[in-house]
Amino acid sequence: MDSFDDTGLALMKFGVGQPVSRKEDPTLLRGQGRYTDDINLAGQAYAVMVRSRMAHGVLKGIDTTSATAMPGVLAILTHADLEAAGFGPLKCGMNIPGRDGSPMKTPPRPSLAKGKVRYVGEAVACVVAETAVQAKDAAEAVGLDIEELPAVTNPADALKPGAPQIHDEAPGNLVLDFHYGDAEAVKKAFADAAHVTRLEINSNRIVVNAMEPRSAIGSYDSKTERWTLNVGCQGVMGIRGGLAKDVLQVTPDKVRVLTGNVGGSFGMKSQVYPEYGPLLLASKKLGRPVKWTDERSESFLSDHAGRDHQRVAELALGKDGRFLAVRLSGTGNAGAYIYPPMPATTNAVKNVIDVYKTPAMEVNSKVVFTNTTPVAAYRGAGRPEGNYYMERLIDTAAREMNIDRVAIRRLNHIAPEQMPYKAPSGMNYDSGEFTAVLDKALVAADWNGFDKRKQESAARNKLRGRGIGSYLEVTGPPAKEYGGIRFEADGTITMLSGTLDYGQGHATPFAQVLSEQTGIPFERFRLLQGDSDQLKVGGGTGGSKSAIVGSQAFLEAGDKLIDQGRHIAAHVLEAATADIEFIKGRYVIAGTDRSVSIVELADKLRAGLKLPPDVPQSLDVSHISDNPPFSFPNGCHVAEVEIDRDTGTIEVVRYFMVNDFGTVINPMLVAGQAHGGVIQGIGQALMERTVYDSQGQPVAGSFMDYAMPRATDAPDFSIENHSVPCKTNRLGVKGCGEAGCAGALPSVMNAVVDALAEHGVSHIDMPVTPEKVWRVLNGQ
């Protein structure tokens, strides 16, 4: 068997489309992962944050006298220390214009509270001591003199005249009055409609609860005047940029960000947090590293929350059930400080159209400050909600108009022959077979056999319902991405990427892509993402884009590698470059059997091969890619639920999904992403909810009070791929990381409403807890 046959067999096992196990799993399963809290630097001290116990108040004084005298205490920092050192506040990295063109209100966020506290858990001081226990004891001894002010936690209440004013820069607590769409066209469509469906529908606030709490270590090198932050995040270049520009106010080359393994994030760890500045300043003052690790109870208070939107959703239909227009109005809760509010604004626009021909649309969102933990991205960041609103409208309209819910979807699907399709959201759909996906999901779910299963449930005193959740997400926000390939002295090959793996398993699919392209054995590849000093640019991971942008960058880098290798191979084989062909991982002199592989060239270069000056001196590649446009993953999920009539308990008993993720690089990893997203969707639909009392105190502040889905809540999943390759990137891939949520919210909620319909229920808001259902069943 020759080398070409060997390459073919390797690609059958490790090429694109194969279910290759994740490279990192053996390390993680042996407990050898290296998360931020696993890192201990020589001479490090420990920090604990002093946090506000009031949701709103004037900060009149901070008494550190007793705490400073306690054993082991090295320093106590407040905002005054940060200000004196020239540190700046955290800033929102995006400004979305309002309906009148005015800029969004973006008051700066101090790392440590200045003048006021605005939510329970806001950091006020940073205590540094020799041990974590000593720092915690001292933090409890810091006295805060806060004159309490009235608090407001609900956006509608925060907009009322006379509501507590949270930021002077945002009168009436209004961050942004957002509008998108042709209001006149939408108004006319609703006026001409044969039927209008209207729902008041909420997306409940979520505590992200990543498996790994946030942690960071700040270091300062007085000789080089450089700052280093070890931190779990979603992209080291973004964190470096935010720290350098806003907080430290230095050039980016003065900052290094290091990230090892990350135990989940879901959007939450993507931003610069208030704790990072104090850690870095303390390190400079003390001349030693300073480490901080959140406790779970602190995470409930300080980690950015997700969702929290309040909507009126409306759908205008013709008498035959054709969609004429969709309109969303309502509020998005920003919390006490503003982060990019795409979930309540632009992402609602891009995703509410879903897979349907809808000629006109309008989105009106008021983003509002409240005395709650700030809200930022959470898995999908507005994408699942947009699909949820539309799918709930469709089921409700079908019931109101006495039209079959499957038929109304088929009637309004965008057809394959209409691609490329310009949606009223401004998005250009390039591909999709939406009716075929729906039909395949219905067959997989045995849709026509439901009545028998419903009778079996009734015999056990249970209600049964079924729900469809079609979805289309806009993924892969365009940005430049880095793709580097470096040949190491030990024979391994390092892939360098500005994306960042926080549980997805990037090393394996990236290696599959490059192995298939170059013929380099899969096992030789290693992945480096977590060192800003070794990257040129990096957009991080978010928006389900890594397979799209990371793979594109590596394919382009692979092209450069192959081209460089062609010139080197010509020299080694003593042939003209024009006569060198690249076939299945080997450079071949055309018409001969003489060849050499990329790996063999690398071995020769390590051994000291001398090359002429006009030949590339290395196989290494450093490449910056202009990212491809958006992609549009889509699919259809079908859920069945059972509801216990006596207790109101809901169980998801069957779950089927058919997804179009374009070209699937690794079906096993894709299935894992889908499973995780579905479980998070089930959690939001049936269990999770953040509650504040009238004083702004969080009522559900631990796992004793906040319900999270467990393994026993997960149904058996059936997953199929209906791949229609994307036409806007080389591999044809579409993002998959957040799609599980997008399909789960509507399918599960439509199933719940279907089960409760015989009791007169046409809509019920998330989370549908047993208590809520019991009250419905008992007329309360």
Side-chain angles (χ1 to χ4, degrees), residues 62 202 206 247-248 289 346 412 419 483 520 568 705 720:
I62 304 172
N202 295 332
I206 296 297
V247 179
L248 300 173
T346 55
N412 287 283
M419 301 294 177
I520 297 171
I568 299 172
D705 314 299
E720 296 182 38

Side-chain angles (χ1 to χ4, degrees), residues 739-759:
C741 279
L745 292 184
S747 63
V748 171
M749 289 303 295
N750 278 338
V752 169
V753 173
D754 185 54
L756 294 174
E758 64 186 71
H759 289 268

Side-chain angles (χ1 to χ4, degrees), residues 178-181 311 326 328 342-354 361-365 382 386 423-427 429 474:
F178 174 83
H179 175 265
Y180 177 90
R311 296 289 191 191
V326 63
L328 298 179
M342 296 98 71
T345 56
T346 55
N347 280 357
V349 170
K350 293 172 184 175
N351 294 274
V352 71
I353 292 299
D354 202 343
M361 69 174 299
E362 184 178 6
V363 174
N364 300 284
S365 290
S425 61
M427 297 292 102
Y429 298 178
V474 180

